[in-house]
């Protein structure tokens, strides 16, 4: 018998009682959001027209290290949390590495990803404020699914604008959302000004996240008793996702294991930010040192090739501007199969941590990702989401380096979800038809030219 168990489950009573806000321990804070009309730091009153009040407070709070998790949210969490921390014994053996690999598995709920952690919090605060419903966008469909589950639970209407190509390619995701009572509209639609404008300018447009965000914000602003919610990028979402890192830290402490490297995939940065937060807090306070690695697709390389600048969060420029690593708000990522990693920007907190040299970032191509996904599925039994497999790829690469150097490093990564709705992409890979796309410098320069000029 191995001394460390294959799976470490915390008891329900060990579920964290508060989220951890890493911004409180950052000496240099992420830059403030700017109002898109005045270009001055945005007032909470302006944000409250779009977002729920309590969530605006969380968004702007960069001083409170802990924010209590309301009892009703903790009760909901207990349906699927604490999630297991798994020692990847079989993957280690297949790689022949002396490294220890651990992963935190967030795919154990119907939404199939970590997104439910924030969806339930956002739906709870919307209900507590007495709202009728919320609007949102979804790209690959995971966020829309998670939000529809949470809204159904709290008795809120849920209107999802789903990027049109996903709406057509992923009818099963759509039906999960409808089963939970959500109203799903393919975007760009003709039901909003933003959607009509894009449909007129680009007939037959198959949609993008930036465009679906504009539609969802507009729909919320025009309807009494509605607000807009977002599943990534924002500080509040990182805060809710800190539950992943807090549980991971508790489990590792119980095992007596100190991580050396913590790895996660980065789309808008919420799962990675949540996973690394408590570890980053120790690093910021000078208590411990860790290496943190963000992994992004080579086709949408905001952290590794983007500019650190103020940019719009959406195509329609209705949301506040954010200082972040960005490829430009008009950047159209190629049809990467990891739909959840196709956003042009990145969380401002992670952007600032990268800029301060406290975190590293790397990018991987799609075929490298699916090779890792296949090996992981065959060794560890779980069929991973393509997004999650970005983290698997780099965890495997780091473990192989240990095989060469003989180091017994402790590698921890976030396994954000399962890939059952991504079998079209797996099919392309299995047929040897998957193509890698890496944008040229010229293409990126073209997009950077459209960044707003702000000092
Ligand atoms: C949405 C999603 C991601 C990426 O989003 P982040 O906000 O960067 O965490 C990663 N994995 C899965 C399974 C997702 O659904």
């Amino acid at each position: 018998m191995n001394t460390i168990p294959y799976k470490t489950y915390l008891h329900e009573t060990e579920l964290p009682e508060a989220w951890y806000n890493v911004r409180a321990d950052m000496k240099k804070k992420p830059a403030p959001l700017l109002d898109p009309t005045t270009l001055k730091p945005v007032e909470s009153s302006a944000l409250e027209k779009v977002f729920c009040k309590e969530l605006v407070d969380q968004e702007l709070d960069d001083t409170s290290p802990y924010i209590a998790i309301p009892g009703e949210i903790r009760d909901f969490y207990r349906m699927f949390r604490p999630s297991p921390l798994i020692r990847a014994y079989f993957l280690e053996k297949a790689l022949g590495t002396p490294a220890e690999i651990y992963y935190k598995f967030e795919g154990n709920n119907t939404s199939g990803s970590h997104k439910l952690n924030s969806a339930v919090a956002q739906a709870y605060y919307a209900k507590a404020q007495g709202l009728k419903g919320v609007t949102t966008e979804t790209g690959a469909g995971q966020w829309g699914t998670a939000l529809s589950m949470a809204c159904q639970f709290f008795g809120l209407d849920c209107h999802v604008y789903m990027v049109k190509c996903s709406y057509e390619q992923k009818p099963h995701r759509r039906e999960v959302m409808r089963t939970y009572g959500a109203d799903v509209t393919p975007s760009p639609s003709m039901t909003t000004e933003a959607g009509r404008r894009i449909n007129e300018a680009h007939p037959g447009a198959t949609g993008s996240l930036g465009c679906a965000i504009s539609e969802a914000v507009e729909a919320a602003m025009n309807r009494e008793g509605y607000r807009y919610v977002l599943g990534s990028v924002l500080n509040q979402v990182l805060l809710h996702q800190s539950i992943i890192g807090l549980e991971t830290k508790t489990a590792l402490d119980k095992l007596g294991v100190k991580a050396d490297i913590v790895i996660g995939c980065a789309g808008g940065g919420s799962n990675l930010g949540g996973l690394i937060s408590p570890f980053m807090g120790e690093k910021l306070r000078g208590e411990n040192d860790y290496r943190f690695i963000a992994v992004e697709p080579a086709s949408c390389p905001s952290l590794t090739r983007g500019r650190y600048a103020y940019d719009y969060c959406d195509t329609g420029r209705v949301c506040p501007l954010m200082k972040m690593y960005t490829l430009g708000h008009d950047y159209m990522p190629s049809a990467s199969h990891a739909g959840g990693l196709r956003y042009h920007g990145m969380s401002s907190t992670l952007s600032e941590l990268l800029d301060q040299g406290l975190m590293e970032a790397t990018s991987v191509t799609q075929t490298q990702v699916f090779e890792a996904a296949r090996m992981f599925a065959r060794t560890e039994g779980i069929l991973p989401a393509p997004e999650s497999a970005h983290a698997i790829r780099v965890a495997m690469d780091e473990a192989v380096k240990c095989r060469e150097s003989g180091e017994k490093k402790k590698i921890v990564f976030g396994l954000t979800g399962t890939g059952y709705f991504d079998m079209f992409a797996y099919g392309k890979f299995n047929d040897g038809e998957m193509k890698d796309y890496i944008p040229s410098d010229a293409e990126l320069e073209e997009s950077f030219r459209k960044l707003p000029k702000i000092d």
Side-chain angles (χ1 to χ4, degrees):
M1 273 297 274
N2 296 302
T3 49
I4 288 183
Y6 181 76
K7 280 205 205 77
T8 304
Y9 277 109
L10 301 179
H11 193 268
E12 271 179 38
T13 54
E14 293 170 288
L15 195 71
E17 286 177 11
W19 293 298
Y20 169 65
N21 180 9
V22 71
R23 285 169 290 160
D25 282 310
M26 291 171 70
K27 281 192 201 75
K28 181 163 178 254
K29 312 285 184 191
L33 294 169
L34 300 186
D35 188 303
T37 44
T38 64
L39 301 185
K40 296 251 160 51
V42 72
E43 302 280 342
S44 52
S45 56
L47 284 176
E48 283 166 21
K49 294 195 182 113
V50 183
F51 299 103
C52 305
K53 179 166 183 341
E54 191 75 30
L55 294 167
V56 169
D57 292 347
Q58 294 180 0
E59 191 61 32
L60 302 178
D61 185 341
D62 55 14
T63 52
S64 312
Y66 287 97
I67 292 174
I69 308 176
E72 285 177 69
I73 298 176
R74 290 185 83 230
D75 282 345
F76 186 96
Y77 278 163
R78 284 161 65 189
M79 283 197 273
F80 64 105
R81 309 204 68 85
S83 68
L85 180 75
I86 304 173
R87 170 81 184 266
Y89 279 117
F90 298 107
L91 179 63
E92 288 169 18
K93 193 167 163 213
L95 295 172
T97 178
E100 294 180 14
I101 307 175
Y102 298 83
Y103 58 96
K104 179 74 166 163
F105 181 45
E106 292 292 318
N108 253 337
N109 69 78
T110 293
S111 82
S113 82
H114 65 287
K115 295 216 170 58
L116 194 54
N117 299 329
S118 184
V120 60
Q122 298 196 41
Y124 167 82
Y125 290 119
K127 187 66 185 178
Q129 190 175 329
L131 297 176
K132 284 202 211 97
V134 293
T135 67
T136 199
E137 75 295 325
T138 197
Q142 286 99 316
W143 169 245
T145 311
L147 188 69
S148 59
M149 292 171 72
C151 284
Q152 174 60 35
F153 186 82
F154 288 112
L156 281 171
D157 288 347
C158 179
H159 198 129
V160 182
Y161 288 86
M162 185 170 186
V163 176
K164 196 181 274 170
C165 57
S166 299
Y167 183 89
E168 282 155 10
Q169 275 175 16
K170 294 190 167 186
H172 298 117
R173 275 251 172 242
R174 189 171 82 210
E175 289 318 315
V176 180
M177 286 185 253
R178 296 206 316 149
T179 303
Y180 281 96
D183 202 345
V184 189
T185 306
S187 166
S189 76
M190 294 303 276
T191 65
T192 65
E193 190 56 46
R196 283 191 293 273
R197 235 185 297 131
I198 289 168
N199 271 319
E200 272 155 32
H202 309 276
T206 56
S208 69
L209 267 181
C211 163
I213 293 175
S214 299
E215 284 208 271
V217 172
E218 184 185 325
M221 308 252 303
N222 290 340
R223 232 178 294 173
E224 189 61 32
Y226 278 77
R227 290 293 185 281
Y228 165 71
V229 294
L230 179 61
S232 181
V233 187
L234 297 176
N235 293 324
Q236 56 186 275
V237 187
L238 251 75
L239 175 74
H240 306 147
Q241 297 297 354
S242 69
I243 190 129
I244 304 173
L246 291 164
E247 287 180 10
T248 303
K249 180 84 180 57
T250 306
L252 287 172
D253 286 350
K254 281 189 140 183
L255 297 172
V257 172
K258 150 77 179 61
D260 294 302
I261 313 177
V262 187
I263 302 168
C265 62
S270 75
N271 87 82
L272 174 68
L275 173 66
I276 70 175
S277 274
F279 301 94
M280 182 62 84
E282 290 188 342
K283 182 165 170 143
L284 289 165
R285 297 189 301 270
E287 297 162 9
N288 248 325
D289 199 16
Y290 300 96
R291 265 184 79 197
F292 301 105
I293 311 178
V295 191
E296 59 183 10
S299 61
C300 192
S302 50
L303 288 171
T304 49
R305 296 175 66 200
R307 288 277 162 81
Y308 190 35
Y310 268 107
D311 194 9
Y312 295 99
C313 295
D314 61 321
T315 318
R317 307 178 184 188
V318 290
C319 295
L321 285 93
M322 193 181 275
K323 188 174 181 194
M324 58 184 172
Y325 277 90
T326 178
L327 297 169
H329 56 277
D330 271 342
Y331 182 75
M332 275 286 172
S334 77
S336 160
H337 293 295
L341 305 180
R342 295 187 63 205
Y343 188 61
H344 67 272
M346 184 58 61
S347 140
S348 60
T349 302
L350 287 187
S351 294
E352 183 55 38
L353 290 167
L354 180 76
D355 197 57
Q356 291 181 29
L358 292 159
M359 186 181 87
E360 303 164 34
T362 184
S363 72
V364 288
T365 62
Q366 197 163 225
T367 44
Q368 291 175 310
V369 165
F370 275 83
E371 278 159 16
R374 179 174 60 195
M375 177 154 186
F376 187 81
R378 290 180 180 183
T379 52
E380 288 293 312
I382 298 172
L383 188 127
E387 291 90 347
S388 322
H390 286 69
I392 299 175
R393 171 80 261 169
V394 172
M396 284 171 51
D397 292 347
E398 289 296 327
V400 168
K401 282 184 207 157
C402 289
R403 180 175 73 203
E404 285 146 15
S405 68
E407 288 171 290
K408 296 191 170 89
K409 285 196 180 141
K410 317 274 196 298
I411 301 170
V412 178
F413 73 88
L415 187 69
T416 50
T418 47
Y420 306 132
F421 290 105
D422 298 283
M423 298 323 289
F424 178 76
Y426 273 92
K428 286 264 182 247
F429 175 69
N430 290 331
D431 289 338
E433 286 170 6
M434 186 162 273
K435 292 201 177 59
D436 290 328
Y437 178 77
I438 300 176
S440 67
D441 288 342
E443 236 173 291
L444 295 183
E445 283 303 327
E446 177 69 30
S447 184
F448 295 147
R449 268 200 283 279
K450 294 182 211 145
L451 284 172
K453 308 268 174 296
I454 293 164
D455 341 290

